[in-house]
Amino acid sequence: MKLLYSSASPYSAKCRMAAAYLGLDIEFVAVKTDEEPSLLIDNNPLGKIPCLVREDAPSVFDSATIMQFFNRDTKGKLYPRNPVRRTEAEVLEALCDGVTDCLIAIIYERRFRPEDKQHQPWIDKQWAKVERALDHLDAHLPKTGKSLHGGHFALAALIGYLDLRFAGQWEKGHGKLKTWRKKFERLFPDYEALKPQA
Ligand SMILES: N[C@@H](CCC(=O)N[C@@H](CS)C(=O)NCC(=O)O)C(=O)O
């Protein structure tokens, strides 16, 4: 299997970290989404990463679906079996991915629109969602024991993306999230190599 990714992509980082944690035999293939290579659009018409390309089987996207595929492929090693804990892990992942959606929307507004067409109130609305969600996460940090789950990887990918693109803008009032990142790094030493990076 091949996982199409880019090094800065937070959704890709989530899946790459999970794959490494599970010890899956997957080749990571870097792609440039802007160039729309056929390897990507033939496997995901949306032209988005991450995308898992399988031999003799349809490709799998998006990142949450890939995580569930990894979980089934490892007979349940990526999410808790207990139904209450499982729902908590999935909601945590949905929240972190949702914050990431807001951050990506801000980045794309600035990157793809000419300066005079960028709409600051819309950017501000996205940032308000980010702040609200970070406040919530800081106040409700997930428990992190020896075994990690999909929600932990989503949170670690989100923090890595904040560090990469919004350094100096997100940390104030979110000290517990910063401490959590250090704890996560100790439990998952590959974080430094796999977190979103330029
Ligand atoms: N909901 C999707 C979002 C994926 C996504 O937006 N990925 C970005 C890179 S971080 C992308 O491929 N952007 C290229 C594009 O939108 O054309 C997921 O969780 O996989």
Side-chain angles (χ1 to χ4, degrees):
M1 290 190 286
K2 291 182 169 64
L3 186 77
L4 311 186
Y5 81 102
S6 91
S7 59
S9 160
Y11 313 100
S12 302
K14 176 182 68 171
C15 293
R16 292 177 76 207
M17 287 191 278
Y21 173 71
L22 297 168
L24 297 175
D25 183 18
I26 293 182
E27 185 189 349
F28 297 138
V29 179
V31 292
K32 292 189 171 140
T33 53
D34 290 349
E35 294 174 6
E36 303 193 327
S38 59
L39 177 63
L40 175 59
I41 53 173
D42 291 351
N43 284 293
N44 179 357
L46 300 171
K48 295 190 182 203
I49 48 167
C51 176
L52 186 68
V53 180
R54 298 186 292 162
E55 270 172 38
D56 305 323
S59 50
V60 181
F61 53 87
D62 60 12
S63 66
T65 313
I66 295 171
M67 297 289 275
Q68 294 299 328
F69 174 83
F70 286 170
N71 191 52
R72 285 189 296 278
D73 206 40
T74 56
K75 301 197 168 39
K77 291 216 172 80
L78 190 53
Y79 291 88
R81 284 183 201 277
N82 173 289
V84 174
R85 303 254 308 278
R86 170 83 179 245
T87 302
E88 280 171 10
E90 290 188 5
V91 170
L92 174 63
E93 180 176 359
L95 180 61
C96 295
D97 286 359
V99 178
T100 304
D101 293 343
C102 299
L103 298 173
I104 293 276
I106 293 172
I107 293 288
Y108 285 1
E109 178 79 6
R110 292 189 180 135
R111 185 181 297 165
F112 294 116
R113 281 176 170 256
E115 219 171 315
D116 61 324
K117 296 221 163 52
Q118 292 171 19
H119 192 54
Q120 191 58 41
W122 191 84
I123 292 177
D124 293 344
K125 189 175 166 74
Q126 300 306 312
W127 188 250
K129 290 173 195 273
V130 172
E131 290 269 23
R132 226 162 36 222
L134 293 183
D135 289 350
H136 175 88
L137 286 165
D138 204 76
H140 302 90
L141 280 176
K143 287 204 182 73
T144 312
K146 249 200 261 160
S147 69
L148 296 169
H149 61 56
H152 296 131
F153 291 112
L155 179 56
L158 165 62
I159 296 176
Y161 194 65
L162 284 163
D163 284 337
L164 177 66
R165 299 283 191 231
F166 297 87
Q169 297 169 61
W170 73 273
E171 298 88 341
K172 198 161 169 243
H174 304 127
K176 289 191 184 137
L177 278 172
K178 281 169 59 186
T179 309
W180 184 88
R181 175 189 50 198
K182 287 209 178 78
K183 190 174 170 188
F184 175 83
E185 260 181 296
R186 282 196 296 275
L187 292 167
F188 185 70
D190 287 344
Y191 183 59
E192 189 57 32
L194 296 178
K195 69 185 182 183
Q197 43 213 295

